[in-house]
Structure formats: C-alpha cells, structure tokens
C-alpha cells in the first residue's frame, strides 16, 4: 500500500534466471523470459482457526471454531463462537461492519473513499554530497576545492605528508556524542555530519530496533524509498489482577499524503499511550484497542494544515494519513485492531498446527472478494488491488476501527506488520515459513529475520514488523 511495491503480478527477480528486475519490465533483460506469464498469488484463507488439532491442506476451510472473548459487561451466557473465515470487526457500538453485496444497486462501483497510494517516484534516490563548509578548528571536516585533498581542514592540513583524518585516532568521543558510521572515528555534529570525514549519517528512522523482553520490533527504510514513513510502539503493562499485558502498534504512512512520516509516528504514540492508560484500569482489552485507534485517529487529524483552507473541507485535502494495526497479548487473550491494510498474523509454535491471518484489509481487492465480484487471484491481479478504503487522517471517508478477540489454546507468536513485509509473504502459510522456529524465545532476532526477508525480496517499501509471543510471560508490573 504505502510503497511503490509492484502489483502482485510483478516480480523482483526473474522466475527463470533469478536476475533482478526493474519496475515495469515485461521481459527479463538477461534471458528474455515473458514476465506476463506470472503465476496467480497464493490463495490465503484469512482468519482460519488457531486451535485445529490436525493439519490439512492450506486451501481447505478450517472446521474448528474458536470462542470470542466476552465483553466487559458480559452475562453468564456462553460467549458466541467465532467461526473460521468469518472474522468480523466491530464498530464503536459493537455492531458488525457491513460488507458490499453483489446484489447491491451498484455492485461494480468503486468503494467510496478509496485512496490510490501510488505516486510516481524514481527507483533510485541519489544522495547529494554535503555542502562545503569552511574549516573551523582542528576537527573540521574536509572542505571542497582545497588543494590538500582529504587532509585539508586539520591544524596542519596543507602540510605535505599529513595523515588522512579519516584514519586518524581521535580518541573516545565525549559522552552523548556519536561515532561516524563511515570512518568509525570522527564525531557526529548536530547537523548529522561527521566532523572528521564529512560523511552524512543515517537518519534515526532509517533503521530502528527495540526489544522489551516479551515483544520486539524492527523498522527499516527499505531499498527504494528515500525515507522511512513507518513507525511502531511497543510496551508492556499490568492488568488490575497483576497479570501482564503486552502491546504492539505498527503504523504505515500514506505516501501520497503530506507528511506521512509524522502521521505514522503520531498515531503509534497515541495508540500506545492510550492502551497503557486504559489496560491497568480494567478496561476490556478489545474496548481499549478500539479507543486506542480512535485516539490515534485524533492525533493524525490534528496534523491537518488548516492554513490551506479554501472552503469547509479544505484542511482535509491530502491531509497526513496512515494505517494502523495493533495487538494486545495477555496470558489468555489475543486482541487485534486495525484500520487499513497493515496486518496481524498468528503463527503457532507447533508448526503442525495451522497459522492464520487475523485481519481483513481495508482495500479495493478485499472489498471485491467480499462482495463476490472476484476471486482473490483476479482481485489482486488488478492494478487497483492495493488501493486502500480505510485509513487514519482528516480526509478519511469514515473511521471504522476493526477489532477482534481470540483465545488461542496453544503457544505461538503474533506478527504485526506493514505491507512492506506481507507483500513478500502474503498467505498465512507463507508467513509461517519465514518466521523462525524459535520466534517465541527470540522475538528480536525473528523481527530482524522478517525484515531481512523483505529486503532480500526487493525492499520496494518501508518494512516494519513486531513479534509478540503468546501467552504473555509473567513479568513485573508497569510499562516499559
């Protein structure tokens, strides 16, 4: 969605000779393979059961039911069963969200509020060299146009035989400063450049990693984007009974909107903070997730620029926007919530059990499939497949937070990710194949492996993934 990721019929490598391909190639430049003969994407059965005891072919429909977590005010009546292939989000009133029907008066009309997020961008982003600055002091970086070359800018930079400052031993940097990633010896100034070799340092959001014991997340800019427009928030807290609750929020900025990086950061922070505030107070995790998505939407709405007003809805035009997906894991419950096409997957520790996709995309393709107008292969082969129909932002057509609650009967991990990952492992079975077997014990390593899988596949988009083991392990109270 957020990326310049080709449609599902595009490839990053030639299926015949494995040579890399460029966007828009119709034939392989190395072997001449006809790229239009691309196999249909694998069929995914979203929301299949997590507690099936015997494996079956991926294409079969799960036959085992799982229970839905009761609401806070539930009575003694049994909780309704949640059937496979029937995961349904709930609105703020608890009602099921409507799906388009093929017998509607306009079944082929594109869904209202569709956002096509594919601005034309070059495949490569050349980085301009840092602007030349005059030498100041003994540690000033190289100055363009000097005769002394790289040694210029040192105290005796013009003297013959002066050592290259990029290899000089500058000692231990003062506390609070960073070493250059290029020369490994110079100090990084406040502008993000090395004072020794002048190399521009990577931006903080280009690659981020965080681990909090029971949850870990990794985010990377990818290989084609000029900045990282994803963001995440992970944390842990305690419920009123002292049991742990682990939180993971992942947001994907809408590239065609203004300031998408700010939108994803604001949404992830707002949702994470809302959950950390509500869960210790005894709010049911499913309701807390709904409220957290609303809080995230309000945070993104606040970024809209009212100074461009040209009428009643002008501030909403191309306002900052993002998608959101989150998970809350307790010792007994697994809660997911989302808006957009970022996803959550369930991968059991026992790989003989079936994995599952826990979310249903807010996208053109998903609506076509739900309406019975196309099968998945047809829908995802269409150029409109990744057009999103739900997002957070002041110009969103309508905010409909989707939430679902599960009670897995076996240990596993929840993979919370943007489409920068699932474009390379779309079906639940494919995702399970790339999740390391020890993911529950090494969540950070697993998140790193999953990001690496996306980068190896082409890295066309920003990629962000959080790995959350289930059940939540016992740990101390308080947030992290």
């Amino acid at each position: 969605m957020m990326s310049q990721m080709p449609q599902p019929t595009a490839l990053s490598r030639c299926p015949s000779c494995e040579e890399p391909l460029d966007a828009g190639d119709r034939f392989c430049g190395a072997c001449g393979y006809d790229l239009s003969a691309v196999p249909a994407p694998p069929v995914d059965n979203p929301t299949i059961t997590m507690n099936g005891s015997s494996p079956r072919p991926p294409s079969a429909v799960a036959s085992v039911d799982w229970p839905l977590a009761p609401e806070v005010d539930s009575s003694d009546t049994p909780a309704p069963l949640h059937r496979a292939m029937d995961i349904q989000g709930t609105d703020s009133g608890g009602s099921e969200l409507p799906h388009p029907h093929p017998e509607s008066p306009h079944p082929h009309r594109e869904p209202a509020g569709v956002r096509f997020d594919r601005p034309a961008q070059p495949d490569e982003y050349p980085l301009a060299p840092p602007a030349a600055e005059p030498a100041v002091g003994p540690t000033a970086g190289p100055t363009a146009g000097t005769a002394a070359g790289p040694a210029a800018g040192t105290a005796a930079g013009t003297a013959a035989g002066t050592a290259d400052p990029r290899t000089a031993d500058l000692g231990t940097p003062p506390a609070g400063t960073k070493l250059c990633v290029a020369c490994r010896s110079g100090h990084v100034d406040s502008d993000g450049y090395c004072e020794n070799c002048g190399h521009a340092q990577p931006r903080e959001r280009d690659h981020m990693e965080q681990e909090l014991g029971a949850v870990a997340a990794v985010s990377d800019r990818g290989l084609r984007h000029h900045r990282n427009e994803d963001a995440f928030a992970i944390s842990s807290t305690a419920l009123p009974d002292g049991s742990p609750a682990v939180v993971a929020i992942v947001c994907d900025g809408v590239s065609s909107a203004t300031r998408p990086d700010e939108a994803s950061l604001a949404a992830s922070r707002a949702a994470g903070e809302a959950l950390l505030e509500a869960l210790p107070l005894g709010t049911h995790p499913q309701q807390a997730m709904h409220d957290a998505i609303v809080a995230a939407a309000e945070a993104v709405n606040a970024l809209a620029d009212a100074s461009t007003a040209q009428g009643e809805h002008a501030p909403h035009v191309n306002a900052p926007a993002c998608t959101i997906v989150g998970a809350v894991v307790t010792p007994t419950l697994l809660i997911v919530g989302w808006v957009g096409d970022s996803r959550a997957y369930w991968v059991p520790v026992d790989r003989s059990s079936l994995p599952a996709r826990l979310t249903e995309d807010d996208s053109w393709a998903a609506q076509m499939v739900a309406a019975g107008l196309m099968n998945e292969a047809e829908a995802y082969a269409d150029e409109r497949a990744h057009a999103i129909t739900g997002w957070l932002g002041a110009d969103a057509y309508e905010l409909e937070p989707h939430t679902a609650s599960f009670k897995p009967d076996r240990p596993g991990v929840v993979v919370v990710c943007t489409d920068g990952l699932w474009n390379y492992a779309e079906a639940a079975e494919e995702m399970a194949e790339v999740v390391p077997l020890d993911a529950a014990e090494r969540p950070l390593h697993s998140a790193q492996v999953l990001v690496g899988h996306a980068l190896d596949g082409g890295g066309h988009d920003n990629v962000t993934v959080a790995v959350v083991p289930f059940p939540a392990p016992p740990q101390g109270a308080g947030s992290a």
Side-chain angles (χ1 to χ4, degrees), residues 133-141 153:
E133 296 181 0
V136 178
T139 59

Side-chain angles (χ1 to χ4, degrees), residues 1 3 230 252 417-424 454 461-464:
M1 165 215 119
S3 63
D230 289 356
D252 190 348
C417 64
T418 62
D419 63 340
L421 171 60
W422 67 252
N423 272 322
Y424 299 99
D461 197 356
N462 307 145
V463 53
T464 301

Side-chain angles (χ1 to χ4, degrees), residues 7-107:
Q7 300 304 322
T9 54
L11 296 170
S12 60
R13 292 183 179 274
C14 174
S16 175
C17 65
E18 295 296 319
E19 284 297 315
L21 300 173
D22 292 328
D25 283 353
R26 298 181 62 186
F27 297 91
C28 176
C31 69
Y33 184 87
D34 184 1
L35 300 177
S36 63
V38 178
V43 176
D44 186 14
N45 291 322
T47 69
I48 57 180
T49 60
M50 288 187 284
N51 55 359
S53 58
S54 60
R56 54 164 176 74
S59 60
V61 177
S63 59
V64 183
D65 300 335
W66 48 11
L68 180 70
E71 297 295 337
V72 179
D73 58 350
S74 62
S75 62
D76 294 332
T77 58
L81 293 180
H82 195 113
R83 298 185 178 278
M85 299 296 293
D86 194 30
I87 228 177
Q88 182 68 34
T90 56
D91 60 19
S92 58
S95 303
E96 290 189 352
L97 300 175
H99 283 294
H101 194 276
E103 298 179 0
S104 64
H106 306 285

